[in-house]
């Protein structure tokens, strides 16, 4: 293919050996641009860091031979964990997952300031997660979430509670990084271990291309900044309007990485009508216009009624609304598919319903609650438990029937409709996209909520259906 003017400028900047940032808007062909850069510099030792494994697997088939493709986590694992049998065993024991149960079983967690043991453990778990994605040296009281502090009834006791929780989080981190301890090693944990080792394996490359840079957290960002400071060429690619993982510790690294910013304003996914709609979103959000040009062929923005044509995708803000509408269509005989599946959600919902009924619960995320009231008190501290709380509050025990209906509906080859949250839809596209009705009102939207709207709207190739807006 013949490069666009913006792509040609990016290639020329890359050949100059300078670090820079490439603002690649939705559908702008960023992978193609990166491939063209690599093809223009044969013989250079280049590393392409993909956001996740599926993107890396696809990139392997597109990049020229000699370019190494992997995720940043794979690079860290190879150089910090795989050569250490004890750390490898700690990771494989739970495949990188740390549960609240591990906090309760590994640490002495008492009931303090009227907060039950499980509430304290959830606060420690959340604080540990915040620490691991930060660039701080140790867990600190300000990393304790406000929702955890709210569990303490007396405001005068909250500072002491925060210090206590941070101390337990520090103990958990010490056990996680110790090869001799049984405490599991998380993905964020081995990234931090790798960074503290000086990011071995990174310096061997002459240039590093970092995809989805807007979703890096400070722990991931630190070794990349060190690499650039030592003279390595760093090309950070991303779209600040697709920064949707702030709740997971991500920061807009595009603002922190070195070099000038170039943009790819052409979208090959959709046509100008959808591009104009996106520009209108930017204006409503109080942001600068992107100068987005839709080169993907005819497209339209419609206010649909009734069921869209088969093959359409519904994109929602929350799992609760998604399951509500997907289950309703499944009950009418349509075959629906949920991106990412619902098996894990079904297991958690089943346990939640049992807890609600006062029955024995064995699910590892809920087994330590003494009753449903205790669950409700601390659920907002954990994203999974918060989502479960919403579902059970909205639908009660019917929630279990709904997710089981979706499990049955998703089995088979023919799919009438696809359902996805905006988070899961990132990187995907469909001809016809219907925006869900659960995005917050424009006047209540935070910066990240606007980004979720942008992600959802830019999944459409031909038709964007805004019936709920």
């Amino acid at each position: 293919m013949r490069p666009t003017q913006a792509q040609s400028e990016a290639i020329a900047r890359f050949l100059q050996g300078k670090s820079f940032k490439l603002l690649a808007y939705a559908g702008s062909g960023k992978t193609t641009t990166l491939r063209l850069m690599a093809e223009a510099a044969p013989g250079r030792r280049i590393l392409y860091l993909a956001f996740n494994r599926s993107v890396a697997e696809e990139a392997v088939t597109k990049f020229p031979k000699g370019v190494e493709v992997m995720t940043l986590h794979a690079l860290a694992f190879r150089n910090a964990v795989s050569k250490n049998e004890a750390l490898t065993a700690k990771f494989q024991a739970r495949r990188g997952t740390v549960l609240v149960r591990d906090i309760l079983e590994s640490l002495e967690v008492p009931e303090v300031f009227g907060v039950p043991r499980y509430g304290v453990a959830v606060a420690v778990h959340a604080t540990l997660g915040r620490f691991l994605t930060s660039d701080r040296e140790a867990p600190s009281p300000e990393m304790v979430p406000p929702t955890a502090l709210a569990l303490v009834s007396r405001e005068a006791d909250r500072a002491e509670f925060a210090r206590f929780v941070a101390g337990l989080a520090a103990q958990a981190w010490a056990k996680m990084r110790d090869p001799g301890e049984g405490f599991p090693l998380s993905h964020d944990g081995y990234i931090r271990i790798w960074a503290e080792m000086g990011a071995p394996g990174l310096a061997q490359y002459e240039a590093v291309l970092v995809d989805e840079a807007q979703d890096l957290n400070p722990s991931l960002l630190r070794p990349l900044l060190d690499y650039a400071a030592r003279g390595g060429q760093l090309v950070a690619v991303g779209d600040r309007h697709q920064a949707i993982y702030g709740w997971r510790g991500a920061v807009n690294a595009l603002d922190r990485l070195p070099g000038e910013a170039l943009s790819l304003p052409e979208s090959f996914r959709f046509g100008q009508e959808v591009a104009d709609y996106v520009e209108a979103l930017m204006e409503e959000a109080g942001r600068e216009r992107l100068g987005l040009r839709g080169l993907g062929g005819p497209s339209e923005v419609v206010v649909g009624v009734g069921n869209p044509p088969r093959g359409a995708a519904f994109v929602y803000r929350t799992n609760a609304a998604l399951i509500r509408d997907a289950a309703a269509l499944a009950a009418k005989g349509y075959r629906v598919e949920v991106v990412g599946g619902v098996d894990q959600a079904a297991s958690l919902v089943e346990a939640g319903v049992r807890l609600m009924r006062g029955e024995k619960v064995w699910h590892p995320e809920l087994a330590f609650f003494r009753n449903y009231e205790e669950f409700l008190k601390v659920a907002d501290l954990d994203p999974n438990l918060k989502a479960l709380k919403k579902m059970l509050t909205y639908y009660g025990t019917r929630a279990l029937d709904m997710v089981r209906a979706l499990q049955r509906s998703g089995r088979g080859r023919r799919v009438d409709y696809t359902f996805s949250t905006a988070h899961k839809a990132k990187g995907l596209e469909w001809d016809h996209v219907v925006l869900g009705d659960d995005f917050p009102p424009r006047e209540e939207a935070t910066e990240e909520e606007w980004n979720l709207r942008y992600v959802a709207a830019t999944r459409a190739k031909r038709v964007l259906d805004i019936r709920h807006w």
Side-chain angles (χ1 to χ4, degrees):
M1 63 164 286
R2 182 178 180 180
T4 65
Q5 181 178 347
Q7 289 174 328
S8 296
E9 186 176 352
I11 295 168
R13 183 66 57 88
F14 180 67
L15 292 177
Q16 292 171 5
K18 297 180 180 179
S19 293
F20 65 98
K21 294 170 283 193
L22 190 60
L23 309 181
Y25 302 131
S28 61
K30 63 178 180 178
T31 302
T32 299
T33 306
L34 295 175
R35 176 178 58 79
L36 292 172
M37 288 182 190
E39 289 176 348
R44 292 191 71 191
R45 297 190 304 277
I46 299 174
L47 171 66
Y48 167 65
L49 291 174
F51 183 67
N52 56 41
R53 187 168 61 183
S54 61
V55 173
E57 290 172 349
E58 182 179 358
V60 167
T61 67
K62 296 181 177 180
F63 278 80
K65 293 181 179 179
V67 175
E68 189 154 11
V69 176
M70 66 179 75
T71 65
L72 194 49
H73 282 83
L75 178 66
F77 190 90
R78 173 196 292 182
N79 291 281
V81 178
S82 64
K83 299 174 184 178
N84 186 311
E85 292 184 3
L87 287 179
T88 300
K90 282 166 65 73
F91 172 80
Q92 291 180 341
R94 197 68 61 69
R95 300 304 299 174
T97 300
V98 176
L99 302 174
V100 174
R101 181 182 73 186
D102 299 308
I103 303 292
L104 287 165
E105 292 178 346
S106 301
L107 305 176
E108 294 184 8
V109 182
E111 179 174 327
V112 292
F113 300 111
V115 180
R117 291 183 66 243
Y118 195 91
V120 177
V122 173
V124 173
H125 186 268
T127 304
L128 177 64
R130 286 186 166 197
F131 161 69
L132 291 176
T133 57
S134 77
D135 56 3
R136 302 289 294 273
E137 297 302 319
S140 56
E142 61 267 23
M143 294 179 182
V144 179
T147 47
L149 298 178
L151 297 175
V152 180
S153 57
R154 293 185 61 225
E155 188 172 351
D157 293 330
R158 291 175 182 173
E160 183 61 29
F161 177 74
R163 286 191 289 270
F164 181 77
V165 168
L168 287 179
Q171 293 180 35
W173 168 231
K175 289 179 177 291
M176 179 185 289
R177 68 186 305 177
D178 186 346
E181 288 281 352
F183 195 93
L185 176 63
S186 71
H187 292 281
D188 291 332
Y190 68 70
I191 283 285
R192 176 169 280 273
I193 291 173
W194 175 68
E196 292 181 355
M197 292 170 61
L202 192 58
Q204 64 178 301
Y205 300 101
E206 298 175 61
V208 176
L209 313 177
V210 185
D211 203 354
E212 301 289 358
Q214 78 279 348
D215 287 325
L216 295 174
N217 61 51
S219 179
L220 291 167
L221 182 59
R222 182 169 61 175
L224 296 174
L225 289 172
D226 291 342
Y227 168 82
R230 292 193 298 267
Q233 184 182 14
L234 185 66
V235 180
V237 185
D239 181 356
R240 57 172 52 94
H241 305 293
Q242 294 192 59
I244 58 175
Y245 292 105
W247 55 276
R248 234 166 43 181
V251 295
N252 183 11
L254 291 168
D255 290 338
R256 304 189 186 188
L257 291 166
E260 294 184 35
L262 305 178
S263 65
L264 296 178
E266 297 93 356
S267 177
F268 302 98
R269 175 177 298 156
F270 43 74
Q272 191 57 42
E273 188 167 347
V274 172
D276 290 341
Y277 181 84
V278 172
E279 291 287 15
L281 280 183
M282 295 298 101
E283 185 175 352
E284 288 194 50
R287 301 179 182 179
E288 294 183 1
R289 293 181 63 86
L290 308 180
L292 190 61
R293 297 194 293 275
L295 304 181
S299 66
E300 58 180 336
V301 179
V302 303
V303 182
V305 293
N307 289 343
R310 283 179 170 83
F314 293 76
V315 181
Y316 290 80
R317 171 65 182 89
T318 64
N319 280 303
L322 180 155
I323 290 174
R324 174 200 67 200
D325 290 354
L329 280 177
K332 294 178 181 179
Y334 293 99
R335 189 172 296 281
V336 301
E337 179 181 50
V338 178
V339 174
V342 295
D343 288 347
Q344 290 185 341
S347 176
L348 187 61
V349 169
E350 181 178 5
V353 169
R354 291 180 64 86
L355 188 65
M356 179 184 285
R357 291 171 172 167
E359 300 172 1
K360 183 64 177 177
V361 174
W362 301 103
H363 193 284
E365 293 191 69
L366 300 180
F368 289 90
F369 285 116
R370 290 177 294 190
N371 50 56
Y372 186 64
E373 289 68 31
E374 187 174 276
F375 160 77
L376 292 176
K377 187 176 181 181
V378 303
D380 289 345
L381 296 179
D382 179 89
N384 286 337
L385 300 186
K386 184 176 181 179
L388 175 62
K389 176 183 173 181
K390 285 184 177 181
M391 285 200 62
L392 295 178
T393 301
Y394 291 162
Y395 309 121
T397 58
R398 284 198 310 118
L400 183 56
D401 296 330
M402 295 164 72
V403 293
R404 284 177 172 169
L406 291 180
Q407 282 182 302
R408 294 191 297 271
S409 177
R411 294 172 185 147
R413 295 181 179 179
R414 180 180 61 85
V415 173
D416 295 314
Y417 297 113
T418 300
F419 282 75
S420 178
T421 62
H423 285 99
K424 292 285 181 63
K426 190 173 179 181
L428 302 177
E429 59 185 26
W430 296 274
D431 283 341
H432 191 126
V433 169
V434 181
L435 298 182
D437 64 352
D438 60 336
F439 289 86
R442 289 177 169 86
E443 61 273 12
E444 299 177 11
T446 63
E447 181 176 355
E448 191 158 313
E449 295 290 354
W450 281 111
N451 290 347
L452 285 166
R453 293 173 186 268
Y454 171 92
V455 169
T458 55
R459 300 309 95 194
K461 297 170 63 178
R462 297 288 176 263
V463 179
L464 175 61
D465 187 335
I466 58 171
R467 63 184 66 190
H468 298 305
W469 285 24

